[in-house]
Amino acid sequence: MAVSCPEATNLTTAPYSTEHILSNTDADNANRTLPFSIVKLPHLTDFLRDLQTHPNPLDRNPFYHPSDGFYVSHTDVILRHILYDLSSPPHSTAYHRAGPRNRVFFDPSQTRAAIVTCGGLCPGLNTVIRELVVALWDLYGVRQIFGVKAGYWGFYSSEPVELNPKLVHSLHKKGGTLLETSRGGFDLHKIVDAIRDRGFNQVYIIGGDGSMRGAVKIFDEIRCRKLNIAVVGIPKTVDNDIGIIDRSFGFQTAVEMAQQAINAALVEAESAVNGIGLVKLMGRSTGHIALYATLSSRDVDCCLIPEIEFYLEGKGGLFEFLEQRLKEYGHAVLVVAEGAGQDMIPRTDEQKEERDESGNPVFLDVGGWLKSELKNWWARDHPNELFTVKYIDPTYMIRAVPANATDNLYCTLLAHSAIHGVMAGYTGFVAGPINGNYAYIPLEEVARAKNEVDIKDHKWAWVRSVTNQPEFVRN
């Protein structure tokens, strides 16, 4: 990631100056003796040597009774990979375990925390906001908590709003985001200037992969300026396309809500002569929602995702498969992820270059295109037969709902893990589960990593066994 001061690239190699953190020397020694490599996690003491520590306020919190083993040690780690072939020497990456430390680097009375939501809506955004506010207030005694309105743009273009537990009490029951959101508006120097000028020393950034890339730049700039400000990312993408962590919040709610669209498509298809129910689900670069919705429903006849290529005409193509299904059952249900088949859709040179506010390529509506192609195919090959395509796009209905119970619990753990890490002086990191255990991962790693569907994995084989769809491989 590019930064504005060249010395930033050397800051992470400086040895930590406090016994409360695993030193780079300790990590290097561990890496030489253990069958895994410990990922170095950025800390404020990398570039601010004289920071004072304080006893953790949880020692005096009536909700907790810290005892031996309650606090996470700097030597506690989480392995990235836990399955190995014993015929070859095991080696893995290890991340620092998330959780409260016995010493903190922030005085709660002097802490000013900023919370911002960026990008599109996702179930659980309001839950994360609520849990950040309540945990900062109740667990650590922080009283200066602010919400930044309208994404990155809001740092320098609007006044922050004060937040407290009473204000956010029922927020987890509502969809959307209390703080409003936007795409774009990323002006690095204006954002960091505003963070500094408003006296924020903790910044919680909730967003997707593009927002995490922005968070990396903010962290790097703060580190360059040697400001005593911790930055943490809380990954949000309903598509579940962020790598390393087990899943992103809102994903399970999205899969659950997608069932309603698939059920409606099935009813429409069954109620027509030669009826096809076509459902487009979210998934720009990955097809996790479409895959899991298909497996959960068992009513889908064909699932198309960005990770596979498919074709329409000829032997083994989509049209041949659907014709067989209609002949046998009289109806079919087709689920397609929004990023599937984009190379097949005709577009102008201008459309090829179009980008949205976040810099992502603008996708054309694969559902509308497929509906048109299906109608043209049937009119050409079966001109005197009835045929119906019902197209359902539930995207905005899914994005706007509150998180379900599972995602609500998950959002709470994400928020608490993020706060514990920031209070311990870590910065430039993301909190998230790895193999079911919560860990701290450098922001830059998360911003680079992708979580694509492995079509050689047993889950995709399971999809094909459920749908009986073709492999879409031309002879």
Side-chain angles (χ1 to χ4, degrees), residues 18 20 51-55 103-105:
T18 170
H20 307 293
L51 293 180
Q52 299 298 309
T53 65
H54 313 271
R103 304 289 293 184
V104 298
F105 284 77

Side-chain angles (χ1 to χ4, degrees), residues 386-407:
L386 294 174
F387 180 70
T388 299
V389 180
K390 297 297 185 183
Y391 173 37
I392 299 173
D393 179 359
T395 297
Y396 292 102
M397 293 176 63
I398 292 174
R399 286 171 20 134
V401 300
N404 66 9
T406 303
D407 271 325

Side-chain angles (χ1 to χ4, degrees), residues 34-157:
L34 296 172
F36 53 81
S37 300
I38 301 172
V39 175
K40 297 180 177 68
L41 190 64
H43 196 275
L44 290 171
T45 54
D46 291 349
F47 50 93
L48 297 169
R49 300 293 183 174
D50 300 321
L51 293 180
Q52 299 298 309
T53 65
H54 313 271
N56 196 313
L58 293 178
D59 288 340
R60 307 181 304 276
N61 193 297
F63 305 124
Y64 289 85
H65 301 283
S67 57
D68 290 344
F70 174 82
Y71 289 115
V72 175
S73 165
H74 62 274
T75 56
D76 290 343
V77 296
I78 304 295
L79 294 182
R80 170 84 180 271
H81 302 291
I82 57 174
L83 298 177
Y84 294 100
D85 181 352
L86 291 178
S87 65
S88 58
H91 189 81
S92 182
T93 299
Y95 297 97
H96 288 274
R97 183 183 169 197
R101 271 55 175 174
N102 64 346
R103 304 289 293 184
V104 298
F105 284 77
F106 288 92
D107 178 350
S109 66
Q110 302 299 315
T111 298
R112 284 174 62 86
I115 303 168
V116 63
T117 54
C118 306
L121 293 183
C122 174
L125 278 173
N126 272 334
T127 305
V128 175
I129 295 169
R130 181 195 188 277
E131 298 308 318
L132 285 172
V133 173
V134 172
L136 282 166
W137 191 285
D138 288 345
L139 302 187
Y140 283 98
V142 176
R143 294 295 182 264
Q144 299 180 79
I145 309 169
F146 298 86
V148 176
K149 305 276 279 188
Y152 282 134
W153 178 87
F155 274 109
Y156 56 86
S157 299

Side-chain angles (χ1 to χ4, degrees), residues 273-285:
V273 177
N274 294 321
I276 290 182
L278 172 60
V279 180
K280 184 181 77 172
L281 296 175
M282 291 165 287
R284 290 180 57 86
S285 59

Side-chain angles (χ1 to χ4, degrees), residues 421-441:
V422 167
M423 295 302 292
Y426 292 115
T427 182
F429 72 95
V430 159
I434 298 177
N435 300 314
N437 295 289
Y438 286 75
Y440 296 141
I441 310 152

Side-chain angles (χ1 to χ4, degrees), residues 206-320:
I206 310 166
D209 52 353
S211 301
M212 292 301 103
R213 289 192 292 271
V216 171
K217 295 178 181 179
I218 292 171
F219 159 66
D220 281 337
E221 182 65 22
I222 285 172
R223 185 173 56 170
C224 284
R225 301 188 192 186
K226 298 186 178 181
L227 302 175
N228 187 13
I229 302 169
V231 177
V232 58
I234 300 178
K236 169 235 50 158
T237 165
V238 74
D239 298 349
N240 199 37
D241 59 358
I242 290 181
I244 303 179
I245 63 173
D246 294 347
R247 71 179 191 277
S248 52
F249 74 81
F251 171 68
Q252 292 197 342
T253 304
V255 172
E256 183 178 306
M257 293 301 298
Q259 302 303 299
Q260 297 181 18
I262 293 172
N263 291 341
L266 176 63
V267 170
E268 290 285 356
E270 287 181 329
S271 301
V273 177
N274 294 321
I276 290 182
L278 172 60
V279 180
K280 184 181 77 172
L281 296 175
M282 291 165 287
R284 290 180 57 86
S285 59
T286 63
H288 292 287
I289 294 179
L291 183 153
Y292 279 87
T294 295
L295 291 177
S296 300
S297 168
R298 307 299 178 89
D299 289 323
V300 177
D301 297 294
C302 187
C303 175
L304 303 175
I305 60 175
E307 289 85 351
I308 67 165
E309 294 183 359
F310 66 94
Y311 57 95
L312 304 180
E313 305 275 2
K315 187 170 181 58
L318 180 62
F319 291 163
E320 180 189 68

